[in-house]
Amino acid sequence: MRVSVGAGLLAFVPSLVAREDARLVSNWQYRTGDVAGAGQLEFDDNGWQTVTLPHNWGWEQAQQGENYYRGPGWYRRALEVSPRPGKRYFLRFEAAGSVADVYLNGQPLGQHRGAFGAFCFEITRQLSSTGTNLLAVRASNAPERDVAPLSGDFCVFGGLYRPVHLIETGDINFCLTDHGSSGVAWLQTRVTADRAVLDVTAQISNATGRKEELILAARVLDASGHAVATVEQPIPVVPRVTAPFALRIEVPQPHLWNGRPDPYLYKAVLELRSKDGAVLDSVEQPRGLRSYSVDPDKGFFLNGKPYHLHGVDRHQDRWNEGWAISEADQDEDMNLIKELGCTVVRCAHYQHSDYFYSLCDKAGILVWAEIPQVNEIDPSPQFAETSRNQLLDLIRQNINHPSIFAWSLFNELWPGRSDPHRELQDLKIVANGEDPTRPTIAATATEQLPQMNKIPDLLGWNIYSGWYTGAKEN
């Protein structure tokens, strides 16, 4: 198998753009099951099925009410990429269900555990000087005791069901391998009608052997493209180190993001520049400026005003598609949510795609975002570590979405199973430390673990009178 990445952008022709991003959609070879040696360069995949991404398995049996396949599958694809001097190369997977082992030219790049978060590996040193490379991925949705969800009323399909990206950057960049995030976090420290105070942290990676004196520059542009706030500062970048750098930027008299009535979005731009002004790397993201608060007696407040929350849960599967849904499918989901008159959506019970969170930003739909701790936990240190990484994936990858108002730690953990208290306490510490501007939240359906219910900052009650037990009048 030998297939080029493609023409134009995919070929990484010289450009004034600081980074290039190409989706690897076509010419994947796929086979269900475990295949010895399939990660090796010389392996013969003739006879394998040719598929395009997104792709997944298990849904065919599941939608017929049958037990669906939970096990490994292999993907292989050729990359014709000739590395250029002064450039770095990365593979970013938006998700893989649910444990992924990635190989390039027969060498392991790493493993990601968890079906819903993005992950990224640098491949600069593994690329062949000939320009011909072989990418192989073993994805498995087999149940693993350290990977949530351990149970639940939804399926866990397998495969590369979200896009895969090949990214080229300069040798000094905003870090792409920090839990698959952009390497840039914009925290809304204080937002009022008079001003918005934004604290920006950038993880900057220097792959060179040189110390560099650079400039970190932030801009906020309004919807018409005019700069409403700018700030820049010199930064020393140490050789072969990835380090955090912070700056603060203030937007006077901000046009607030006001949910459904007015989901106004600015554009936030963070640039890494040389001293002569050349842009070495740049990350642009929409930003809605808003504040949230919850009063136990008066309810939810958006920008200091009462805001009624009514909405739906959403899962990411579709009939005859499973999890391998398109952007058009997600657009339709959003249109249905808006047609229902919703103001909020709970993205149950796991991290959803960045594309869907972005639709919520644009539509003014508030988001309850959560990790897949459903029904039970495993008491092992390995489960605690995997769950911590799932939470870090969720927060670091999505911290800049204005629609997300809370990070959820669990859904309906039950008594009589493994004790969840210590693990949940640790997760809350992680969430509050990563993002002090948003509360933690959870959904419970039991009064038998009262201390567990006190761990998150906010709590939602699932009451099933007339559904599972009792009568609706109760």
Side-chain angles (χ1 to χ4, degrees), residues 341-461:
C342 297
T343 60
V344 64
V345 61
R346 182 180 177 198
C347 289
H349 290 297
Y350 39 78
Q351 180 175 336
H352 287 222
S353 72
D354 179 78
Y355 183 79
F356 187 76
Y357 293 136
S358 296
L359 291 179
C360 294
D361 295 340
K362 296 172 186 175
I365 301 289
L366 293 165
V367 173
W368 168 322
E370 63 186 55
I371 59 173
Q373 293 215 96
V374 181
N375 292 352
E376 61 180 311
I377 73 162
D378 187 274
S380 69
Q382 293 80 13
F383 181 89
E385 177 66 16
T386 303
S387 297
R388 178 180 180 273
N389 284 328
Q390 287 180 314
L391 182 60
L392 288 171
D393 286 353
L394 175 69
I395 295 176
R396 292 189 185 178
Q397 290 166 27
N398 299 293
I399 196 167
N400 296 326
H401 286 290
S403 55
I404 295 175
F405 72 91
W407 307 112
S408 183
L409 304 181
F410 67 89
N411 175 72
E412 295 188 1
L413 297 181
W414 295 98
R417 307 183 187 187
S418 298
D419 182 357
H421 290 81
R422 181 70 258 182
E423 191 237 8
L424 294 179
Q425 285 179 292
D426 290 344
L427 290 180
K428 183 180 187 299
I429 291 169
V430 170
N432 291 157
E434 288 286 318
D435 183 7
T437 70
R438 290 180 177 95
T440 56
I441 199 168
T444 192
T446 180
E447 296 179 333
Q448 297 180 50
L449 294 172
Q451 295 307 114
M452 178 190 75
N453 292 339
K454 294 178 182 179
I455 291 174
D457 301 305
L458 304 173
L459 192 69
W461 279 91

Side-chain angles (χ1 to χ4, degrees), residues 1 24 27-31 35-45 48 53 73-79 91 93 96 99-111 119 121 123 133-139 160 164:
M1 181 182 72
L24 305 180
N27 298 306
W28 290 87
Q29 303 301 111
Y30 168 74
R31 180 171 171 180
V35 184
Q40 297 305 305
L41 181 63
E42 65 276 6
F43 181 85
D44 184 3
D45 57 23
W48 285 26
L53 302 188
W74 276 92
Y75 297 86
R76 287 168 56 90
R77 189 193 195 281
L79 299 178
L91 286 169
F93 297 76
V99 175
D101 293 277
V102 184
Y103 303 81
L104 187 70
N105 298 327
Q107 300 301 311
L109 295 177
Q111 182 185 81
F119 53 99
F121 299 115
I123 61 173
N133 304 275
L134 192 287
L135 171 62
V137 183
R138 181 188 186 271
L160 301 181
V164 178

Side-chain angles (χ1 to χ4, degrees), residues 305-319:
K305 299 179 181 179
Y307 192 77
H308 186 58
L309 301 182
H310 52 276
V312 294
D313 284 5
R314 176 197 181 252
H315 278 284
Q316 64 180 6
D317 49 334
R318 281 266 177 146
W319 186 260

Side-chain angles (χ1 to χ4, degrees), residues 224-408:
S224 60
H226 297 112
V228 296
T230 61
V231 66
E232 60 182 53
Q233 65 182 42
I235 57 171
V237 180
V238 177
R240 306 197 186 285
V241 162
T242 298
F245 293 87
L247 55 75
R248 171 170 285 189
I249 186 169
E250 298 188 8
V251 179
Q253 287 80 50
H255 186 154
L256 299 179
W257 187 90
N258 268 308
R260 288 296 305 276
D262 185 15
Y264 187 88
L265 293 174
Y266 291 89
K267 180 189 291 184
V269 182
L270 195 65
E271 291 180 339
L272 187 62
R273 302 176 186 164
S274 64
K275 296 185 76 173
D276 63 7
V279 176
L280 306 180
D281 200 8
S282 177
V283 173
E284 298 183 4
Q285 296 168 316
R287 293 301 291 134
L289 304 179
R290 78 294 178 269
S291 65
Y292 303 133
S293 62
V294 177
D295 184 280
D297 299 315
K298 299 178 181 179
F300 187 87
F301 286 75
L302 173 60
N303 299 322
K305 299 179 181 179
Y307 192 77
H308 186 58
L309 301 182
H310 52 276
V312 294
D313 284 5
R314 176 197 181 252
H315 278 284
Q316 64 180 6
D317 49 334
R318 281 266 177 146
W319 186 260
N320 287 337
E321 294 178 281
W323 284 355
I325 59 176
S326 67
E327 292 182 355
D329 293 331
Q330 298 180 73
D331 292 340
E332 185 176 56
D333 285 352
M334 177 52 64
N335 289 334
L336 290 170
I337 290 169
K338 290 163 62 179
E339 185 179 333
L340 287 169
C342 297
T343 60
V344 64
V345 61
R346 182 180 177 198
C347 289
H349 290 297
Y350 39 78
Q351 180 175 336
H352 287 222
S353 72
D354 179 78
Y355 183 79
F356 187 76
Y357 293 136
S358 296
L359 291 179
C360 294
D361 295 340
K362 296 172 186 175
I365 301 289
L366 293 165
V367 173
W368 168 322
E370 63 186 55
I371 59 173
Q373 293 215 96
V374 181
N375 292 352
E376 61 180 311
I377 73 162
D378 187 274
S380 69
Q382 293 80 13
F383 181 89
E385 177 66 16
T386 303
S387 297
R388 178 180 180 273
N389 284 328
Q390 287 180 314
L391 182 60
L392 288 171
D393 286 353
L394 175 69
I395 295 176
R396 292 189 185 178
Q397 290 166 27
N398 299 293
I399 196 167
N400 296 326
H401 286 290
S403 55
I404 295 175
F405 72 91
W407 307 112
S408 183

